[in-house]
Amino acid sequence: MDALVLDRLSTDLQELTCAIEAAAGVDIAVEVVPSAPHLSCTATQFGARIFTPSVDCFQDGPALHELLHIRRILVEGIPQLGYDEHSWPSPEEDALLNAIDNNLEHLAFGNEELTRRPNRRAYWLGKMRNALETLEASQVGVGGHGALALLCFTFVQHVLRDGPLMTRAQAILDAANLGGYPARLFNNVEPANQSKDLTVRLFFQLLGMPTEGIEFEYVDSRNSTRRQIALAEVVVER
């Protein structure tokens, strides 16, 4: 990472950045995109980029979030969920799959993010309130909106541990006859400790969501390679 940008981060995040770069064998580039609404990132077999609306927006809390995403993909070898090259999903289908993948990642590293930066709790509380308001105003059932409702509940339960938000999220699931799904999905295993590929396969099975054209992509930045596995080929053993 460019020293001028890296120096904007606190010492512990500078160390985290350097550790990720060393383990992944790539530099993490930071690119200013004035039209971007917030920080975001990409991580491929060729490296990683963090996009920021401005240099001033590149601050500890949001930067930590993107660094944890990048570490999961390039260092821990966690696959990303997406459509294969032969699929032509609608913008809505693509956005939904991206949201599912992103929220599953948040379940995995949310507690570390809050441990490193407790002030991020206010951000996540606001984000979950907004998400629940949107779900309360929509038709939630088995399928796409049900998937997001289930992920919201699980994040509130395992990461934020906020009673009032859990009550709201549970009410949404109960109204959609999904109240028993969190226990069935995670089987009393913390989301952060559960295999992502098996979790996703079970997730799609429980909600009756189609898997055609959906795949996991694993990237290896040290060897500049990637491989894909169709979601339908992942076997759930329980």
Side-chain angles (χ1 to χ4, degrees):
M1 185 177 290
D2 186 276
L4 293 177
V5 181
L6 186 64
D7 286 345
R8 297 183 62 84
L9 300 178
S10 298
T11 301
D12 65 317
L13 295 193
Q14 291 183 27
E15 293 173 349
L16 175 63
T17 300
C18 293
I20 293 171
E21 291 179 330
V26 297
D27 289 334
I28 299 173
V30 177
E31 183 176 332
V32 175
V33 180
S35 61
H38 49 69
L39 267 66
S40 62
C41 71
T42 61
T44 73
Q45 67 270 33
F46 303 116
R49 288 181 178 274
I50 296 177
F51 304 99
T52 179
S54 68
V55 173
D56 288 340
C57 291
F58 192 74
Q59 301 175 0
D60 270 14
L64 168 63
H65 182 83
E66 304 308 326
L67 288 169
L68 293 176
H69 270 299
I70 292 169
R71 187 184 69 184
R72 289 266 298 169
I73 298 167
L74 297 188
V75 178
E76 299 174 20
I78 304 301
Q80 300 174 84
L81 195 59
Y83 284 97
D84 63 34
E85 59 185 10
H86 305 295
S87 298
W88 296 91
S90 68
E92 294 77 16
E93 290 170 331
D94 194 47
L96 174 63
L97 191 63
N98 285 335
I100 290 173
D101 187 65
N102 208 33
N103 282 285
L104 283 167
E105 287 299 301
H106 296 164
L107 288 176
F109 66 70
N111 281 309
E112 179 180 357
E113 182 175 330
L114 293 182
T115 297
R116 285 178 175 268
R117 291 295 181 276
N119 62 342
R120 290 282 287 174
R121 180 176 175 80
Y123 164 82
W124 281 110
L125 286 171
K127 191 173 180 68
M128 285 298 106
R129 289 191 189 101
N130 291 338
L132 292 176
E133 287 174 5
T134 299
L135 290 168
E136 287 167 341
S138 65
Q139 186 67 35
V140 176
V142 176
H145 281 105
L148 295 179
L150 178 56
L151 290 171
C152 282
F153 174 86
T154 308
F155 187 86
V156 170
Q157 179 187 42
H158 288 273
V159 180
L160 293 177
R161 299 175 178 85
D162 182 86
L165 287 183
M166 284 181 62
T167 299
R168 288 178 62 184
Q170 184 68 62
I172 294 171
L173 293 179
D174 290 343
N177 295 317
L178 298 173
Y181 279 49
R184 292 173 64 190
L185 178 61
F186 291 103
N187 194 27
N188 298 317
V189 177
E190 286 284 335
N193 297 328
Q194 188 157 292
S195 165
K196 181 179 179 180
D197 49 4
L198 293 181
T199 297
V200 171
R201 187 72 179 96
L202 181 61
F203 187 82
F204 274 70
Q205 282 185 1
L206 287 176
L207 293 170
M209 297 173 65
T211 60
E212 184 178 358
I214 298 176
E215 66 181 11
F216 284 116
E217 180 180 79
Y218 298 79
V219 299
D220 181 348
S221 55
R222 282 201 165 274
N223 294 301
S224 300
T225 60
R226 68 185 181 116
R227 62 186 178 92
Q228 298 85 24
I229 297 178
L231 177 57
E233 295 178 6
V234 177
V235 178
V236 178
E237 297 180 348
R238 52 173 140 127

